[in-house]
Amino acid sequence: QSALTQPASVSGSPGQSITISCTGTNSDVGGYNHVSWYQQHPGKAPKLKIYDVSKRPSGVSNRFSGSKSDNTASLTISGLQAEDEADYYCSSYRSSSTWVFGGGTKVTVL
Amino acid sequence: QVQLVESGGGVVQPGGSQRLSCAASGFTFSTYGMHWVRQAPGKGLEWVAFIQYDGSKKYYADSVKGRFTISRDNSKNTLYLQMNSLRTEDTAVYSCAKNWGYFEYWGQGTLVTVSS
């Protein structure tokens, strides 16, 4: 069960926008609209930021947005802030009733 | 508010067993599917297992299939993970998470260290 592919790191200056990609296959990202994104600060539990490709849970800033094209999903953080510095993980439902995560992306605010 | 509190972690020898618990509160536990997810030290997240709201369906990652068993007691609002034949590569923080298509809320996790 190979993981989804994310870039190891992405960086940006305060106020800028960054995009994190998450590439899978027709059996996961491309086949279902159950892609979600999580933010994890060091030593903390992950927090849901986006679910079902582009939906934001209540309380999540509209600076976070999600999209999908074919087998690649993306998370965009606009108006980058210092508090956004964290690890980000994508996840997708996969055929055979399993779930898979990406390898994680470290976001650095310059 | 939703709370998920894991317990049962510790140090166990290779080949040994461990049972983890996840106490849920703040929502109607018996109406939600639940997951176990793990994170090895310094590594990424790995999905481990899922159980349907009524316990009738269970799914596992290939890496734990046949060794781990997920279960739940809806009368106690508690999720379990029975881990047998543990290997060094099972060392991780194990967290429970609520919902089906995505991981809506997470506990803080409990550390399982498999070492001789």
Side-chain angles (χ1 to χ4, degrees):
Chain A
Q1 291 172 336
S2 54
L4 306 175
T5 301
Q6 297 181 233
S9 62
V10 172
S11 61
S13 299
Q16 286 186 331
S17 293
I18 63 169
T19 297
I20 303 169
S21 61
C22 171
T23 301
T25 68
N26 289 333
S27 296
D28 38 63
V29 174
Y32 305 93
N33 285 325
H34 293 301
V35 176
S36 51
W37 290 89
Y38 304 87
Q39 176 193 62
Q40 186 180 36
H41 287 108
K44 301 295 186 181
K47 287 185 179 179
L48 176 67
K49 290 299 192 181
I50 295 289
Y51 68 99
D52 290 352
V53 177
S54 59
K55 297 177 182 177
R56 267 190 315 276
S58 174
V60 172
S61 170
N62 58 10
R63 297 187 299 107
F64 292 85
S65 61
S67 63
K68 189 183 81 167
S69 177
D70 297 327
N71 294 338
T72 298
S74 298
L75 173 71
T76 297
I77 308 175
S78 58
L80 199 61
Q81 300 178 0
E83 67 205 48
D84 299 331
E85 187 162 292
D87 293 327
Y88 290 81
Y89 295 90
C90 63
S91 176
S92 175
Y93 175 80
R94 175 178 273 182
S95 55
S96 304
S97 298
T98 59
W99 282 259
V100 61
F101 284 95
T105 298
K106 182 177 181 60
V107 168
T108 302
V109 181
L110 302 172
Chain B
Q1 72 281 18
V2 173
Q3 276 201 315
L4 298 169
V5 180
E6 301 90 343
S7 60
V11 180
V12 59
Q13 291 191 336
S17 298
Q18 197 85 343
R19 188 201 199 200
L20 306 183
S21 299
C22 166
S25 61
F27 65 102
T28 306
F29 180 72
S30 62
T31 63
Y32 286 91
M34 296 291 295
H35 298 266
W36 284 101
V37 178
R38 68 184 181 183
Q39 187 170 30
K43 302 296 185 183
L45 302 170
E46 180 187 10
W47 174 77
V48 173
F50 171 80
I51 186 168
Q52 193 163 285
Y53 69 96
D54 59 357
S56 62
K57 295 184 179 180
K58 305 174 184 181
Y59 305 104
Y60 300 92
D62 286 345
S63 58
V64 307
K65 199 174 295 182
R67 300 188 299 123
F68 290 13
T69 301
I70 188 171
S71 63
R72 64 191 299 159
D73 186 336
N74 286 344
S75 68
K76 295 182 179 179
N77 289 348
T78 303
L79 175 73
Y80 302 101
L81 186 67
Q82 177 67 44
M83 305 185 296
N84 298 331
S85 303
L86 282 162
R87 306 166 180 168
T88 55
E89 56 263 37
D90 295 319
T91 293
V93 171
Y94 286 76
S95 300
C96 56
K98 167 183 176 276
N99 221 331
W100 176 82
Y102 51 95
F103 309 91
E104 185 181 7
Y105 291 97
W106 301 61
Q108 285 295 325
T110 185
L111 176 62
V112 175
T113 302
V114 184
S115 173
S116 55

